[in-house]
Amino acid sequence: MLERFQRPGRRARGHHAEHLDLDLDLDVDLHLDVDLNLHEHQHHHHVDHDHHHPARHRADRTPGPLQGGSKGKRTLAIQQALKDQHYDPGELDGKFGAKVRMAVWAYQGLHGMPQDGIVGPDLEALILARSPQPMFRPELGPTHTEVDLTRQVMMVFRDGAPVLITHVSTGSQIPYCEETDQGRNCGNAVTPEGTYKFGRRVSGWRDAPLGRLYNPVYFNGGIAVHGANSVPGHPASHGCVRIPMSIAEYFPALVNTGDVITVYRS
């Protein structure tokens, strides 16, 4: 049973949330929903360097780093290379937007770099080299999903090859206490480490006690991988694995019921 805690700054609440369906993953935190098109402020080690001009795009023809707002052939080449390596940078339009930024976050995380979303010369060359991404848990077999809580990255492998690599936002590890239509729900926002199997799933939106989940695929009780409007550059959920909405459209088709998913810290 998950422990219940009182979130600092909120009045104490009851502990009978344990009688809920325990959709703790229902972690679309209504207080955290932010449109992905808005650029977030610096948080932890993720930095958005163009939040002052979210609609401005700068030509990338001259030497210099690629980042939010860049546009042109170099940005298009980065988008194509990321897509070829099974990241999802969105439409191949030559514009460095939120989807490209999150794909770069994931790439930087997997390569031990600060996840600032900026593509300097060395990173640009590395992305364009299209080096294969190995499994970190090959002992789980050729078909499995890995969620790295440290890097905030999820990788889906099928038949030994990656089919999706994406930035995620997992449990914030902050105690919470929420008033829901099923009563007070208190707990600790943790995505539990361990190895599980994908189970039930819901198509479309699911209205859960702690918020709304899009196309959730559950793997540990009420904890799921699901789409969310807010997938910031840091852990922010009640315990679920949040993925961008555009990826949640097709993610359920990439995994089968019974497929292995492992959650770990690197």
Side-chain angles (χ1 to χ4, degrees):
M1 182 180 299
L2 297 178
E3 296 181 7
R4 291 337 193 229
F5 297 85
Q6 179 186 350
R7 183 191 287 272
R10 300 189 181 186
R11 63 185 178 86
R13 294 175 177 167
H15 296 264
H16 49 288
E18 57 199 294
H19 300 295
L20 298 176
D21 183 28
L22 280 185
D23 291 319
L24 297 178
D25 47 352
L26 323 173
D27 48 30
V28 180
D29 191 336
L30 299 180
H31 303 291
L32 291 172
D33 279 348
V34 178
D35 192 303
L36 286 177
N37 291 322
L38 294 178
H39 294 272
E40 57 191 331
H41 296 290
Q42 179 175 350
H43 198 302
H44 293 267
H45 56 292
H46 296 80
V47 184
D48 184 348
H49 287 260
D50 78 323
H51 66 274
H52 297 295
H53 304 287
R56 182 178 300 173
H57 286 85
R58 298 176 292 276
D60 64 12
R61 293 187 298 273
T62 57
L66 301 174
Q67 56 190 305
S70 297
K71 68 175 181 179
K73 292 182 179 179
R74 287 174 58 210
T75 298
L76 179 60
I78 288 296
Q79 287 177 307
Q80 184 64 65
L82 287 168
K83 183 175 181 179
D84 291 346
Q85 295 168 83
H86 307 287
Y87 296 82
D88 188 341
E91 181 182 359
L92 301 181
D93 56 4
K95 296 179 181 179
F96 200 121
K99 294 177 182 178
V100 178
R101 186 175 70 248
M102 287 192 288
V104 171
W105 281 348
Y107 191 97
Q108 290 174 319
L110 287 177
H111 291 80
M113 303 175 181
Q115 290 164 283
D116 58 8
I118 297 176
V119 181
D122 292 342
L123 178 56
E124 184 175 3
L126 189 59
I127 292 174
L128 294 177
R130 294 171 168 81
S131 300
Q133 174 59 50
M135 299 176 179
F136 292 149
R137 297 292 187 270
E139 67 274 10
L140 296 177
T143 297
H144 68 270
T145 297
E146 301 184 18
V147 177
D148 189 322
L149 300 176
T150 304
R151 295 181 171 99
Q152 292 289 281
V153 172
M154 180 175 73
M155 299 184 291
V156 181
F157 293 93
R158 297 207 68 81
D159 299 322
V163 294
L164 174 65
I165 303 173
T166 182
H167 168 71
V168 299
S169 181
T170 58
S172 68
Q173 301 190 74
I174 298 174
Y176 66 86
C177 215
E178 306 284 346
E179 193 72 41
T180 75
D181 58 5
Q182 297 182 16
R184 296 188 182 98
N185 191 328
C186 300
N188 200 20
V190 171
T191 304
E193 297 177 54
T195 299
Y196 312 93
K197 291 184 178 181
F198 286 113
R200 65 189 177 100
R201 59 187 67 200
V202 176
S203 296
W205 285 104
R206 176 156 195 267
D207 292 313
L210 294 175
R212 305 184 77 207
L213 295 73
Y214 188 67
N215 282 350
V217 183
Y218 294 87
F219 63 87
N220 179 14
I223 295 179
V225 177
H226 69 81
N229 288 320
S230 174
V231 188
H234 57 90
S237 80
H238 283 97
C240 279
V241 179
R242 295 186 191 176
I243 58 177
M245 290 291 291
S246 57
I247 294 176
E249 291 284 358
Y250 61 84
F251 170 75
L254 299 181
V255 297
N256 296 323
T257 300
D259 282 356
V260 170
I261 175 172
T262 189
V263 180
Y264 58 85
R265 293 190 179 277
S266 56

